[in-house]
Amino acid sequence: QVQLQQSGPGLVKPSQTLSLTCAISGDSVSSNDAAWNWIRQSPSRGLEWLGRTFYRSEWYRDYAVSVKSRITINPQTSMNQVSLHLTSVIPEDTAVYYCAREPRNDYGVFFDNWGQGIRVTVSS
Amino acid sequence: QSVLTQPPSVSGAPGQRVTISCTGSSSNVGAGYDVHWYQQLPGTAPKLLIFGNNNRPSGVPDRFSGSKSGTSASLAITGLQAEDEADYFCQSYDSSLSTYVFGTGTKVTVL
């Protein structure tokens, strides 16, 4: 049973960096059969895929074009967790942020396990 | 902003059948990319309901089924139950945007 437990601050000031962590249990961040994604949800933008990291003999990262210049997703193998850093945040970055597991499969990319979500507000 | 359009709401009485459409274009659903569906109960994270157009993960009741044709996909719920009251989202990949995209979401109300 894969479980994802998210942690991080719920309030970030404009221009600062949003940092969240997703602790993985029941699987490994270094698994060759999974990828670890970050997705956010807001009333104005709906569900928005932000990016992912995965290990296939080496580490790979993919990021959404909309946030590519500001986002970093890193595995933390010793802690079996994955982190999200989003720099220079603006109020429009206010959303519920989810980490989600993507299984390696024959049906494209989908997300079979989700963290509980963290509501992050960007405000001074 | 989503490229996958869903009706804002659908409703039905207990026991009835409802369907939710997910309309895309030639750069996503119509390009052959698989469609996946999620259920989101109030205040919780989305839960995978259908993957690969019409496959159910273990534990998902067979009252839920998916289909895809052309540039659209559909989720059907038969034998509607009170516990099915939730938001439902489709998801696919868009080659023009080079990103994974979600539908606008549909709220299902059980009358």
Side-chain angles (χ1 to χ4, degrees):
Chain A
Q1 176 95 3
V2 175
Q3 291 190 322
L4 306 177
Q5 182 66 38
Q6 298 175 228
S7 59
L11 180 64
V12 182
K13 289 182 167 51
S15 79
Q16 293 192 341
T17 297
L18 181 162
S19 297
L20 299 175
T21 299
C22 176
I24 301 161
S25 58
D27 201 347
S28 170
V29 69
S30 304
S31 169
N32 279 289
D33 293 322
W36 306 95
N37 294 255
W38 286 94
I39 296 161
R40 67 183 178 183
Q41 184 176 28
S42 66
S44 58
R45 301 173 72 94
L47 283 161
E48 180 183 13
W49 178 80
L50 298 176
R52 64 179 177 176
T53 187
F54 56 95
Y55 185 76
R56 302 288 184 268
S57 301
E58 61 182 278
W59 286 102
Y60 294 87
R61 294 166 181 82
D62 296 320
Y63 299 130
V65 171
S66 61
V67 294
K68 192 167 188 175
S69 63
R70 302 191 291 132
I71 191 173
T72 304
I73 294 175
N74 280 326
Q76 295 167 330
T77 55
S78 62
M79 301 287 288
N80 201 34
Q81 58 190 27
V82 60
S83 66
L84 165 70
H85 298 283
L86 187 66
T87 63
S88 304
V89 294
I90 59 177
E92 288 70 28
D93 292 315
T94 295
V96 178
Y97 286 75
Y98 295 101
C99 61
R101 176 183 180 270
E102 167 201 334
R104 193 172 187 176
N105 70 95
D106 296 327
Y107 299 100
V109 171
F110 59 86
F111 313 105
D112 65 351
N113 283 277
W114 295 63
Q116 82 276 21
I118 290 186
R119 183 175 300 277
V120 179
T121 300
V122 178
S123 174
S124 54
Chain B
Q1 280 196 353
S2 177
V3 297
L4 301 179
T5 302
Q6 300 178 230
S9 64
V10 299
S11 62
Q16 283 191 330
R17 178 180 188 268
V18 297
T19 61
I20 300 169
S21 60
C22 173
T23 303
S25 67
S26 59
S27 62
N28 42 68
V29 181
Y33 295 106
D34 285 329
V35 177
H36 321 290
W37 291 89
Y38 302 85
Q39 176 193 61
Q40 186 174 32
L41 297 171
T44 69
K47 169 193 168 186
L48 181 66
L49 207 59
I50 296 287
F51 66 92
N53 304 317
N54 55 15
N55 300 280
R56 283 185 309 277
S58 60
V60 173
D62 59 6
R63 304 185 292 103
F64 296 92
S65 62
S67 63
K68 176 187 154 184
S69 178
T71 58
S72 295
S74 290
L75 173 72
I77 310 173
T78 57
L80 195 63
Q81 299 182 3
E83 66 205 50
D84 299 332
E85 197 160 276
D87 293 325
Y88 293 81
F89 297 90
C90 57
Q91 177 247 313
S92 187
Y93 178 77
D94 189 281
S95 58
S96 293
L97 299 175
S98 299
T99 191
Y100 304 101
V101 291
F102 290 87
T104 50
T106 298
K107 181 174 180 59
V108 169
T109 300
V110 182
L111 301 172

